[in-house]
Amino acid sequence: MDTLQQDGDELEWKESARWVKFEEKVEDGGERWSKPHVSTLSLHSLFELRTCLQTGTVVLDLEGYSLPQIVDEIIERQIDEGMLSPDLREKISFVLLRKHRHQTKKPIHRSLADMGKASGGGARECPSNTLHILNIDMINCSHALCCFTGHAHSRSMNDIADTLSTDQLRNKFMKKIPRDAEASNVLVGEVDFLDKPFVAFVRLAQATTLGGLTEVPVPTRFLFILLGPTGKAKSYNQIGRAIATLMVDDLFSDVAYKARDREDLIAGIDEFLDEVIVLPPGEWDPKIRIEPPKKVPTADKRKSVYSLNELGQPNGTAGGSGGHAEDEEMPVAHELGEELAHTGRFCGGLFLDIKRKLPWFPSDFYEGFHIQSISAVLFIYLGCITNAITFGGLLGDATDNYQGVMESFLGTALSGTVFCMFSGQPLIILSSTGPILIFEKLLFEFSKNNGIDYMELRLWIGIHSCIQCFLLVATDASYIIKYMTRFTEEGFSSLISFIFISDAIKKMMGSFKYYPINTDFKPDYVTAYKCECLPCLSPSPYSSTSKTLNITDLDWSQLSKKECVKYGGSLVGNTCKYVPDLALMSFILFFGTYSMTVSLKKFKFSRYFPTKLRKLISDFSIFMAIMTFVGLDRLIGLKTPKLIVPTEFKPTRPDRGWIVLPFGKNPWWVYLASFVPALLVTILIFMDQQISAVIVNRKENKLRKGCGYHLDLFWVGVLMAVCSFLGLPWYVAATVISIAHIDSLKMESESSAPGEQPQFLGVREQRLTGILVFVLTGVSIFLAPILQFIPMPVLYGVFLYMGVASLSGIQFWERIKLYMMPSKYQPDFPFLRHVPLRRVHLFTLVQIICLTVLWVLKSTVLAILFPVMILGLLVVRKMLDMVFSQHDLAWIDDILPGKDKKDKKKKGDKDDTKKKDKKKGRADDSKDKVRNVKIYCHQLADLEQKKPC
């Protein structure tokens, strides 16, 4: 919004407002823009705007290449139509072609955030909806006639620049604008030489850069001019704000681009008015600026369900008032995509997966070269090595070191690298799981008690499981995943998340047992505390370096604690068991790492520092938190438990090699009988792998390269056999770490309107981060001198963060919190609008009971039946169809595929009848609806069986 100011005899425009999506005004101090806010318009101004377009000049697809030419064309048309007196030509031209001074000058005292902003625009990603930059230029000149005194009204006196200025080219506001944006300039004001308004709406045939007209070097597509008699400046200002708001509306801007004549524009305003919500005067303060919403609702819901061509209407006359309201729309149907279609051919799904993923293979590598990938690698790497060390240690205890930390490192590196290189979904991270650990423990005990060689038996189980996976792939058995609705997915992912959280807390509680807090220490009695080393009562010689040492020659009072115990002495005193408060320090490291990670992850939504710096801090939040508390641990110098990494490349058990031979140690029938336990392992692998894949491939993640359930299972089967031959642990998709991998690679729009939250664009799909993570895991034995400085509590804090973060966005968790909320404080979830609260609580209670049963059984020997328990969730979900209506399940869960087909079949006849009615209505009204939006509204109301508007 530019206001014409007079400085002596000179006139100039001064910018005072702008729109991208939301309105910004120049504050009264004139040195900064206001916070972006939602434009609040008076209903009267919209009706006045409608009148202006009815009575003014509308020029569409004007061939204009400079502002003077465009102004001449507008004035000439007004004179030809008898709307303007010829003697006013020069006065109007003089006013419209004054110089524009934009709000680019910065105050002397600037914030650190402003100083840190880059001057260049940089690469920007354009959101899905085109934005329009609006300069609303207002003339407020009550003495305009005196401004013309002594001036020759010739073209040489024009002040507006024909070329772009340096300020325009260097304007940092360009970073907020999409690359393909176009400008709409609105000139509104009052002059005292007019008796009636001068109104013009112009659409240029080609977007043209009009010199110094706009604040930024963006080509102009639209011009709206309103000059009127004095005394109505406020009214003209509101009309200008009205057209500005309309032009940033997605539906009206589409109408403006496609309109064929004046009536199409007026129809677009009428449709906009149908969607306007009026706030009664006196019940709210119009001075309050409404904050932009955190998530701008899509315009698709305002569009009619019928396309413009189907309705036979001209461009711009269809649109927003049709269709169901948001509250009446049914949720999107449960659909997992064509990847799980049953082909009925041998390996049909596998071949389709390969065909789908092969074209993306090159981009899966070069798209990984991004700074965001570095933070993802560091984060996932630390999670993987922590998990490998923890699982390797437990596996070593369970199998008498036939498999240990070294085997865990090597197996993680080998399996993960191969899977990320060739799988259908490389964003999935492979890891060992708790049920596999239970199975290995039971298998080792069975082998030991029955005199069967454990490693050879395990090899044959792996071979049979590999063959069974191949059979599942060949028969497209992954089709069963279609029947896993949100009920099963959320139950499984919640269980794994709670396991991560409980394990992290359990390990921290263990530190209080090993390093108890010294609650008996009293500073006032420090002088009475002592610990002495007393010699043993029965003297015995101690051999040291092949030389007999008599203990009577030792000065026992000078020996250290280790030496005292070494020489057989005894420690006596009330401080002999004193240790520093390592448990308290461990808790500080643990909780500090988690808290700092959460805080820095949210830093990108902070108000401090430039956008790029905030995003960089958010991306590297986990790495920064780890380095901060590793440094704090080194600074304090306490001997907190550290990460222990193998330093030599050799099997954990000395009497075994790296290759397991298939024959020679067990009876022949063992090779065949191992098919039975292998079947249980296969079910475990299949369910764990495919459910994790479904969670990773959710449509909310906006993955564009597709997935490959069959290809993933194929490589998991291959790796089962390879790891069995090498005596390495078995690996399957790790749900929590895979979700963390997805979250660390999420992309957001770098170019967003002021006040608009960055739009989620999808995930950086590539193979490079996963490959680097597992390669680093493999070479970690050479990084032991560095990794030994990382305290284990810090890594437990990372585990806690991964578990908590994976719960975000799970509807089940949100419904659990509803139990503790009074109704008036409950969030406005869509399912609460359509399903009674008591039914929501009942559904949640069923999920809690199922989760509790899974948790209890997981903690017992029956954990080996974990995959059967997951299949049990499918049975429970099927039984819920008898308790809940399909309407309720559609909102709080998903409709099963079979039910969906039956419902469509029942509604088939009704839909055919409706289509016939629609065609009949379109045929009857095809002549009149071309120009009249009211007829379209009547027709749309008839189609939806509503009252006409």
Side-chain angles (χ1 to χ4, degrees), residues 16 38 105 143 176 205 341 459 591 720 751 782 866 874 887:
S16 58
V38 178
K105 183 179 179 181
H143 305 286
K176 295 290 185 181
L459 168 60
F591 191 73
M720 282 282 293
S751 173
F782 305 108
F866 182 77
L874 297 180
H887 173 270

Side-chain angles (χ1 to χ4, degrees), residues 212-504:
L213 182 62
T214 56
E215 176 189 355
V216 286
V218 175
T220 295
R221 173 72 72 167
F222 296 96
L223 281 169
F224 178 83
I225 300 173
L226 170 58
L227 298 178
T230 57
K232 295 185 178 181
K234 185 175 181 180
S235 176
Y236 301 154
N237 184 16
Q238 292 300 316
I239 294 174
R241 294 181 63 248
I243 187 63
T245 306
L246 279 167
M247 290 304 297
V248 293
D249 179 73
D250 292 331
L251 266 64
F252 183 84
S253 64
D254 187 59
V255 170
Y257 269 100
K258 299 176 181 179
R260 299 177 182 177
D261 50 29
R262 185 194 311 268
E263 282 72 19
D264 289 349
L265 294 172
I266 296 172
I269 294 180
D270 289 337
E271 293 177 20
F272 184 86
L273 286 169
D274 289 340
E275 298 287 339
V276 166
I277 297 175
V278 179
L279 295 174
E283 297 186 11
W284 74 292
D285 186 359
K287 294 181 181 179
I288 296 176
R289 292 173 178 171
I290 302 177
E291 292 283 337
K294 292 187 179 298
K295 184 178 181 181
V296 180
T298 176
D300 294 339
K301 295 181 179 180
R302 293 171 51 198
K303 296 178 181 178
S304 171
V305 293
Y306 311 107
S307 65
L308 303 179
N309 295 333
E310 287 179 341
L311 289 173
Q313 295 195 0
N315 292 326
T317 59
S321 59
H324 294 282
E326 181 182 355
D327 290 351
E328 299 173 358
E329 290 183 350
M330 292 296 291
V332 179
H334 175 61
E335 184 60 48
L336 294 178
E338 62 179 6
E339 294 89 352
L340 290 175
H342 192 271
T343 62
R345 301 189 305 271
F346 179 77
C347 293
L350 177 63
F351 291 140
L352 289 178
D353 286 347
I354 296 174
K355 183 179 179 181
R356 185 185 304 111
K357 298 299 295 185
L358 200 57
W360 296 105
F361 196 74
S363 65
D364 284 342
F365 290 93
Y366 64 74
E367 288 184 3
F369 290 94
H370 191 273
I371 191 171
Q372 187 182 22
S373 301
I374 301 176
S375 64
V377 168
L378 294 174
F379 171 34
I380 303 302
Y381 165 66
L382 290 172
C384 283
I385 63 170
T386 306
N387 195 46
I389 290 174
T390 304
F391 182 83
L394 295 174
L395 195 59
D397 295 337
T399 63
D400 196 16
N401 285 331
Y402 275 103
Q403 297 176 81
V405 176
M406 175 56 72
E407 287 78 9
S408 181
F409 265 79
L410 183 60
T412 301
L414 174 64
S415 301
T417 304
V418 172
F419 186 85
C420 289
M421 180 71 75
F422 302 109
S423 67
Q425 183 49 271
L427 296 177
I428 292 176
I429 300 297
L430 295 190
S431 180
S432 296
T433 60
I436 289 181
L437 175 63
I438 298 295
F439 180 85
E440 296 273 17
K441 182 177 181 180
L442 294 177
L443 183 65
F444 177 77
E445 292 177 353
F446 172 81
S447 302
K448 184 177 180 181
N449 296 334
N450 292 275
I452 298 175
D453 186 77
Y454 163 68
M455 296 302 290
E456 187 176 292
L457 173 62
R458 184 178 178 276
L459 168 60
W460 280 99
I461 292 176
I463 293 174
H464 283 296
S465 182
C466 174
I467 296 173
Q468 291 166 4
C469 286
F470 289 166
L471 291 176
L472 293 175
V473 172
T475 57
D476 293 346
S478 297
Y479 175 77
I480 193 178
I481 303 300
K482 278 183 172 289
Y483 295 93
M484 293 186 182
T485 62
R486 180 184 294 170
F487 178 87
T488 307
E489 293 175 23
E490 291 185 343
F492 179 80
S493 59
S494 298
L495 176 64
I496 303 301
S497 299
F498 288 146
I499 290 175
F500 262 68
I501 295 172
S502 66
D503 285 350

Side-chain angles (χ1 to χ4, degrees), residues 93-135:
S93 179
F94 182 85
V95 170
L96 295 179
L97 298 177
R98 294 302 89 205
K99 181 176 64 176
H100 291 251
R101 181 159 60 92
H102 304 293
Q103 183 61 27
T104 56
K105 183 179 179 181
K106 297 292 182 182
I108 297 176
H109 302 288
R110 299 173 61 193
S111 67
L112 292 175
D114 288 334
M115 293 178 181
K117 289 182 178 178
S119 59
R124 302 179 301 275
E125 298 190 45
C126 181
S128 57
N129 298 325
T130 303
L131 307 180
H132 303 276
I133 309 147
L134 300 170
N135 287 332

Side-chain angles (χ1 to χ4, degrees), residues 894-912:
D894 292 310
I895 304 296
L896 292 175
K899 291 284 184 181
D900 193 27
K901 292 179 181 178
K902 292 179 181 178
D903 293 340
K904 289 181 179 179
K905 198 170 184 180
K906 290 180 181 178
K907 295 180 180 179
D909 297 336
K910 295 182 181 180
D911 293 340
D912 293 339

